Amino acid sequence: MAQPKGTVVLAYSGGLDTSCILVWLKEQGYDVVAYLANIGQKEDFEAARKKALALGAKKVYIEDVCREFVEEFIWPAVQANAVYEDRYLLGTALARPCIARGLVEVAQKEGARHVAHGATGKGNDQVRFELTCYALCPSIKVVAPWRLPEFYQRFPGRRELMDYAQKHGIPVPVTPQTPWSMDENLMHISYEAGILENPKNQAPPGLYTKTCDPATSPDTPDVLEIEFEKGVPVKVTNARDGAVRRSALELFVYLNDIAGKHGVGRIDIVENRFVGMKSRGIYETPAGTILYHAHLDIEAFTMDREVRKIKQGLSLKFSELVYNGFWHSPECEFLRHCIARSQQAVAGTVRLSVFKGHVSVLGRASPRSLYNEELVSMNVQGDYEPADATGFININALRLKEYHRLQSKVTAKQDE
């Protein structure tokens, strides 16, 4: 028997990997407390509880963090128009600090000096989990089995993990597993690894689970009106059937349903992991895609041009920090405060159509709009003197004239 090592709180999913890790941690001398966060994934939580207890966990915590996930993590990302490398809406990256926060809280409640997770040694999630844990509890110790030679040398492949599971009475899936890995939360689902590691391979038709095939989606669009206050959605109205959603969680779940039935939110990308390698990921982010387009529109309608330029730079850095796992860093906290301040006047309603994989903005209205219809009209002069544009153009042309005058001299000398 290994020497007793105290209590470890394991981020438990109920799947094969973390079930094997639970038993392995017990072999190493740990008392295991399992922590399972309900963050919107499809899961039989009661079955997962019974499974963890049967495998030897001394206690199981199952915590519903869906509302906190939406209000404290997704909403700041919506305010920021957060997107990594132009396409990825950060569904997994936003969920990890939310889960890790709960993990640390349980460790502190249980007096545990250790936490553990099942993230691999090649991915981003190990960084995201651990940076959050260390930020919130600097004295915590992290056990990461997939980075320990005694673990990954013992389990070099899935076959060895399955053999270990059968030997220790760990329930093994009866049906064949999909030839890729999946990770789901309320905001999105990701698919990677397995046959998807070859970036030439097209996603198989049966892969997607949150969205319908756009080609076979309904032939009638849903027209939605999304109301924002301070850059956060506060109300959704479906113009077709009059359905209304107001609370953050209900609103987000409803948008997931609407976007999902119309095939909105699918992307297939190659991205740059923080650890230094490129990876191929396929994502479905239904509600997040609708809100990204809606917020982008109302922000452009209500925000000063120069403020928006600065804010776009902040959003780019914010997205990078979130992707890399620095949610609880001082710089990310500073950016969240700055972005929130920029959203004070971002209020109003965006009307959009959701149809066959596309989100199309139809119109917008806001009491804080900076749009002046009379000023911009081609039929009304308004408080604007067209003759003033001549001087404006001349001043801006001065630099260009001087640059090209000099270039002409240099070219002439080179031709001599």
Side-chain angles (χ1 to χ4, degrees):
M1 284 290 291
Q3 285 288 103
K5 294 178 180 176
T7 299
V8 61
V9 180
L10 170 66
Y12 184 67
S13 70
L16 179 65
D17 286 32
T18 53
S19 294
C20 288
I21 287 172
L22 192 160
V23 175
W24 183 83
L25 288 169
K26 284 177 58 61
E27 286 183 343
Q28 309 310 303
Y30 291 101
D31 291 324
V32 181
V33 172
Y35 173 73
L36 176 54
N38 173 2
I39 200 159
Q41 71 273 38
K42 292 181 179 69
E43 180 71 61
D44 186 336
F45 294 101
E46 195 50 42
R49 180 195 300 278
K50 291 177 180 176
K51 183 177 182 180
L53 291 171
L55 294 176
K58 72 172 188 176
K59 195 179 290 188
V60 179
Y61 285 83
I62 298 177
E63 185 180 15
D64 187 337
V65 296
C66 289
R67 183 181 58 79
E68 292 90 334
F69 181 41
V70 174
E71 295 178 352
E72 299 175 34
F73 295 88
I74 296 177
W75 278 180
V78 170
Q79 289 178 309
N81 298 322
V83 58
Y84 178 71
E85 293 187 339
D86 304 314
R87 293 183 289 178
Y88 174 46
L89 293 174
L90 298 166
T92 300
L94 289 165
R96 294 314 187 219
C98 184
I99 296 169
R101 184 176 69 181
L103 190 70
V104 169
E105 288 171 354
V106 169
Q108 292 172 329
K109 183 177 180 179
E110 290 290 323
R113 294 186 297 113
H114 298 84
V115 294
H117 61 77
T120 72
K122 285 187 175 182
N124 295 308
D125 284 342
Q126 57 179 337
V127 183
R128 295 164 179 161
F129 274 124
E130 295 181 35
L131 290 183
T132 294
C133 290
Y134 290 133
L136 299 180
C137 184
S139 63
I140 203 77
K141 305 296 181 187
V142 178
V143 182
W146 285 114
R147 294 207 307 269
L148 299 174
E150 61 267 33
F151 186 87
Y152 64 71
Q153 288 174 3
R154 184 176 178 182
F155 305 110
R158 200 145 194 89
R159 182 69 261 167
E160 290 78 11
L161 211 58
M162 296 280 278
D163 291 343
Y164 180 82
Q166 291 172 339
K167 178 181 176 182
H168 290 85
I170 300 169
V172 174
V174 177
T175 56
Q177 289 197 315
T178 55
W180 53 76
S181 69
M182 298 184 290
D183 185 80
E184 183 184 16
N185 62 52
L186 187 66
M187 186 174 182
H188 89 161
I189 186 166
S190 64
Y191 310 90
E192 58 184 15
I195 64 170
L196 302 178
E197 286 179 351
N198 184 339
K200 290 194 300 182
N201 290 340
Q202 185 175 344
L207 177 138
Y208 296 99
T209 61
K210 273 188 177 290
T211 60
C212 297
D213 182 347
T216 58
S217 62
D219 293 325
T220 303
D222 275 281
V223 175
L224 305 177
E225 292 185 351
I226 303 178
E227 184 178 335
F228 288 86
E229 290 180 7
K230 297 183 178 179
V232 168
V234 295
K235 181 183 176 184
V236 171
T237 304
N238 191 319
R240 185 171 59 82
D241 61 11
V244 175
R245 299 292 185 276
R246 295 178 186 274
S247 75
L249 184 54
E250 285 185 351
L251 183 156
F252 199 82
V253 169
Y254 181 72
L255 289 180
N256 266 338
D257 292 341
I258 295 296
K261 80 174 185 179
H262 288 286
V264 164
R266 297 181 176 188
I267 60 168
D268 181 336
I269 64 173
V270 172
E271 69 200 61
N272 289 294
R273 286 182 181 170
F274 187 31
V275 293
M277 64 188 79
K278 290 185 184 292
S279 68
R280 191 264 188 98
I282 297 175
Y283 304 103
E284 294 176 275
T285 315
T289 300
I290 289 178
L291 290 173
Y292 176 79
H293 289 286
H295 180 269
L296 200 61
D297 191 80
I298 198 67
E299 183 178 86
F301 195 47
T302 56
M303 186 177 286
D304 174 77
R305 180 185 71 180
E306 297 304 315
V307 172
R308 189 160 183 266
K309 285 181 184 177
I310 295 170
K311 191 259 181 178
Q312 284 177 303
L314 298 180
S315 296
L316 192 66
K317 184 62 179 176
F318 172 77
S319 302
E320 179 185 295
L321 290 171
V322 172
Y323 184 86
N324 292 342
F326 288 92
W327 181 271
H328 289 288
S329 66
E331 63 271 30
C332 195
E333 290 178 5
F334 171 73
L335 285 177
R336 290 200 298 275
H337 284 298
C338 291
I339 291 168
R341 176 64 183 83
S342 78
Q343 300 296 293
Q344 294 301 303
V346 180
T349 301
V350 177
R351 187 178 177 90
L352 48 80
S353 167
V354 186
F355 186 56
K356 298 224 176 265
H358 297 283
V359 178
S360 305
V361 174
L362 305 177
R364 76 287 294 160
S366 171
R368 307 295 297 272
S369 167
L370 295 179
Y371 181 89
N372 185 329
E373 187 174 352
E374 182 179 278
L375 181 62
V376 78
S377 174
M378 301 297 287
N379 299 315
V380 181
Q381 182 170 320
D383 189 19
Y384 180 80
E385 182 56 61
D388 291 343
T390 302
F392 175 79
I393 293 168
N394 287 338
I395 292 296
N396 278 281
L398 180 61
R399 176 177 61 90
L400 304 182
K401 289 178 179 178
E402 286 303 296
Y403 173 79
H404 287 285
R405 182 181 62 79
L406 178 60
Q407 288 300 106
S408 297
K409 285 185 176 180
V410 171
T411 302
K413 283 188 177 181
Q414 289 174 345
D415 291 341
E416 289 177 359

